[in-house]
Amino acid sequence: LVVQGNQVRGAAWALRQIDEAAWASPDGSVEQAYFSKVSEANWSWIVEQIPAWTAEQGEAHGWLPGEYGTEGALPPWQQDYFASTAIAAARHGNEDALTYLEWASNFLVGRFQHAADGFAEHDGAAYLLAISDPATGRVFNTWAEIGATTAAYDWSNGDGWSHTDGDYAQLALATLAGIAELTGSQAA
């Protein structure tokens, strides 16, 4: 499993390479069989985790857990990297990737829709979001708590789209376009 216990961007890159190796291998080849099996194992593992992740993440569910350099932080742009891998796999007919994408839409789309709940719209494309208490590991499971703690840590984008230099808003737009295309989501 390349998605378990990895940085989300690393999981995205690794799974994308596995999927692409399966798609590029000649039909009926040993390589195609191997890479398809590895891909299926990763995508099915992800889908199996969805109920537990949903329970832990609460109303803000839909983000892939991973290892990050900052305790208690989630870089949403890494979720966009993983979404691009899911979008590509779903376009190739992977039902588990589509299932993941439909579930992840709650977070990926929702991060731009909960200003009334205390989560600043521009923070949907922030460099980091506060996602858990670094001291206890407790996951924040409301948009309000994520938003308030992100602002308290001075990670909020405020009224702009980038707290630091980067292409975070563009990555989010690509994610929203892929979700809209594959799921028909009007919100995306």
Side-chain angles (χ1 to χ4, degrees):
L1 293 176
V2 298
V3 294
Q4 185 179 21
N6 195 355
Q7 272 198 0
V8 172
R9 63 179 161 186
W13 298 330
L15 189 52
R16 181 186 63 210
Q17 289 180 327
I18 291 164
D19 285 345
E20 288 179 351
W23 305 326
S25 296
D27 287 343
S29 68
V30 173
E31 294 82 6
Q32 185 183 51
Y34 172 77
F35 288 117
S36 294
K37 182 179 176 182
V38 173
S39 173
E40 289 168 17
N42 279 276
W43 286 111
S44 67
W45 181 84
I46 290 169
V47 169
E48 289 169 8
Q49 307 314 304
I50 287 176
W53 290 340
T54 302
E56 180 179 49
Q57 296 171 10
E59 71 181 26
H61 73 268
W63 48 272
L64 183 70
E67 301 296 323
Y68 304 108
T70 303
E71 288 296 316
L74 178 136
W77 50 274
Q78 288 193 30
Q79 299 297 316
D80 290 320
Y81 284 174
F82 196 83
S84 72
T85 296
I87 289 164
R91 282 184 181 139
H92 279 274
N94 185 316
E95 290 296 321
D96 283 342
L98 184 58
T99 297
Y100 167 78
L101 198 59
E102 289 169 340
W103 171 78
S105 293
N106 185 71
F107 176 80
L108 296 170
V109 177
R111 61 190 163 154
F112 298 107
Q113 298 180 318
H114 288 278
D117 299 318
F119 184 85
E121 175 185 36
H122 293 120
D123 289 349
Y127 179 70
L128 293 175
L129 300 177
I131 206 69
S132 66
D133 182 329
T136 66
R138 184 183 65 81
V139 173
F140 304 147
N141 57 18
T142 67
W143 290 106
E145 190 172 22
I146 295 167
T149 310
T150 297
Y153 288 174
D154 196 28
W155 294 344
S156 178
N157 279 344
D159 294 332
W161 284 108
S162 182
H163 188 64
T164 61
D165 292 331
D167 56 357
Y168 312 120
Q170 292 89 337
L171 292 169
L173 285 171
T175 295
L176 296 174
I179 290 170
E181 172 195 342
L182 291 169
T183 71
S185 167
Q186 293 299 306

